[in-house]
Amino acid sequence: MKLRDVPSACPRLWRSLPVPSAELRLDLVLSSGQTFRWWESSPGAWTGVLGGRVWTLRQERDRLWYTVYEEEEEEDGDACPTGAAEPDGAEPERILRDYFQLDVGLPALYRAWGAADPLFRKVAKDFPGVRVLRQDPVECLLSFICTSNNHISRITAMIERLCCTFGRRLCHLDARPVHAFPSLSALAGADAEARLRALGFGYRAKFVSGSARAIAEGLGAEGLCRLRAVPYAEARRVLCALPGVGTKVADCVCLMALDKAEAVPVDTHVWRIAQQRYGAVLGGRSLTLRAHQEIGDFFRGLWGPRAGWAQAVLFCADLRKGQEPGSRGRARGGRGRDSRGDGPP
């Protein structure tokens, strides 16, 4: 394990767990628009914030290596990684297994999806290990509100500004300050919308602050988490009642934070895929609520109860294709794709 390229790492404090690349590819999962808090801090090493702590992750020889950084004690102090929150490392391993949903066996799902769908089989062979993250519902929701009419690099920069302005500072890594995702109360304040507009959030500012306020005064963060236990349709209905949350954003949150593996986020791009690649005549002439339902039902019928996971694989492949040299336009995030169908309500 070569650790010299990982910022501030102490080799004795690294731990690992067995994770074959067929089960997880960090480079595909952490850069494909599911989350916006990870960056490639050195070749093959990914640093980000998870569970209110700063982590660096790396894969080598079918093992997932990780270290967790202590919060700084002094205003200008540098962080030093700690191998675990508990002496035996059980808690960080539990967090990683939960976040990457490692209890879900991916190769068997790929085989089932490929057997049902020749197009999936053709595309997926070059994109193993793409799985859906299980994120904090508040962070996932407020982040995806920022994705309308947007692309991944811009969304990532927006979320970074959001965290630096409203979030608690966790540590410095190589002089880079790293902050936690803001609390609901921080984003629900009277001046939050104005401050977000000053950060370049535009019309999204009122939706981020408005949804934070609505959750804080209503469900609360705990109530949002409890949506994991209710049926998919009910969770989506509750989410769509929040400011700035349409069907696509609600489906993203259902899939990536609320355990609704059948949720298929649909934007104009996914609609075109259904029509052009699968020959499905769905949704009429515009992306209405009926169209969302019909397209989602089409893919659920094709791929089964984890249709959202299968779509994540095809989306990742499509995103990578858009990033290849010579492709037209800048890379766009499928979950935060810049498309007319995903604008403000």
Side-chain angles (χ1 to χ4, degrees):
M1 178 68 180
K2 297 179 181 179
L3 302 173
R4 61 179 179 273
D5 295 330
V6 180
S8 306
C10 301
R12 68 184 184 280
L13 298 177
W14 282 76
R15 297 179 185 272
S16 71
L17 60 153
V19 184
S21 59
E23 292 284 4
L24 172 65
R25 279 274 303 273
L26 288 178
D27 60 322
L28 297 178
V29 173
L30 296 181
S31 65
S32 61
Q34 290 193 52
T35 177
F36 308 99
R37 300 300 321 274
W38 295 89
W39 70 94
E40 194 171 15
S41 48
S42 65
W46 293 83
T47 297
V49 181
L50 170 61
R53 304 291 296 276
V54 182
W55 304 62
T56 294
L57 310 177
R58 192 180 189 110
Q59 285 183 284
E60 190 168 300
R61 299 189 185 92
D62 286 342
R63 298 196 73 83
L64 176 63
W65 292 85
Y66 63 90
T67 191
V68 188
Y69 297 84
E70 293 180 351
E71 292 188 38
E72 61 187 24
E73 296 182 0
E74 299 179 4
E75 184 69 15
D76 298 318
D78 285 334
C80 183
T82 176
E86 295 179 359
D88 61 359
E91 182 61 13
E93 181 170 325
R94 181 196 66 78
I95 290 171
L96 287 176
R97 288 188 177 279
D98 181 74
Y99 184 63
F100 289 110
Q101 305 199 71
L102 294 178
D103 60 321
V104 178
L106 208 52
L109 288 174
Y110 269 60
R111 288 192 294 271
W113 295 327
D117 178 5
L119 176 59
F120 180 93
R121 184 168 63 249
K122 179 181 179 181
V123 171
K125 62 182 176 61
D126 295 323
F127 294 90
V130 177
R131 56 177 53 246
V132 172
L133 301 174
R134 189 174 194 248
Q135 302 179 57
D136 173 76
V138 170
E139 177 175 342
C140 186
L141 172 65
L142 298 180
S143 295
F144 275 93
I145 288 175
C146 300
T147 65
S148 64
N149 291 311
N150 223 338
H151 55 86
I152 288 178
S153 60
R154 186 164 181 260
I155 299 163
T156 301
M158 289 171 67
I159 299 301
E160 177 71 7
R161 295 195 298 272
L162 177 81
C163 295
C164 288
T165 302
F166 293 92
R168 174 174 54 90
R169 193 172 74 192
L170 299 173
C171 67
H172 275 82
L173 293 180
D174 296 336
R176 173 177 177 160
V178 185
H179 293 74
F181 196 85
S183 64
L184 284 172
S185 59
L187 293 173
D191 64 341
E193 181 181 340
R195 294 173 68 189
L196 287 167
R197 286 188 180 277
L199 292 174
F201 278 64
Y203 67 82
R204 305 172 192 87
K206 71 174 180 178
F207 296 142
V208 172
S209 61
S211 280
R213 189 175 306 110
I215 297 167
E217 296 174 354
L219 282 170
E222 297 80 7
L224 201 59
C225 280
R226 285 196 292 271
L227 293 179
R228 287 172 169 169
V230 307
Y232 163 48
E234 182 180 347
R236 186 165 69 169
R237 177 186 59 78
V238 172
L239 293 173
C240 285
L242 295 169
V245 179
T247 306
K248 190 206 77 171
V249 169
D251 277 338
C252 287
V253 179
C254 282
L255 175 63
M256 301 173 208
L258 298 181
D259 299 342
K260 315 304 179 198
E262 70 270 39
V264 178
V266 175
D267 58 12
T268 54
H269 180 78
V270 173
W271 184 25
R272 286 194 296 269
I273 287 177
Q275 293 178 324
Q276 296 173 7
R277 299 189 191 179
Y278 290 91
V281 182
L282 301 166
R285 294 179 177 274
S286 61
L287 195 51
T288 61
L289 290 175
R290 175 187 169 189
H292 276 270
Q293 189 64 44
E294 288 183 355
I295 295 165
D297 288 345
F298 169 79
F299 284 119
R300 282 184 282 273
L302 178 64
W303 294 324
R306 289 194 179 272
W309 284 56
Q311 193 230 17
V313 178
L314 292 190
F315 164 71
C316 180
D318 190 71
L319 175 65
R320 286 299 177 105
K321 181 179 179 181
Q323 293 172 334
E324 291 175 355
S327 62
R328 296 181 62 186
R330 56 189 168 187
R332 292 173 176 176
R335 309 305 174 195
R337 184 175 287 108
D338 183 359
S339 61
R340 291 183 297 276
D342 307 322

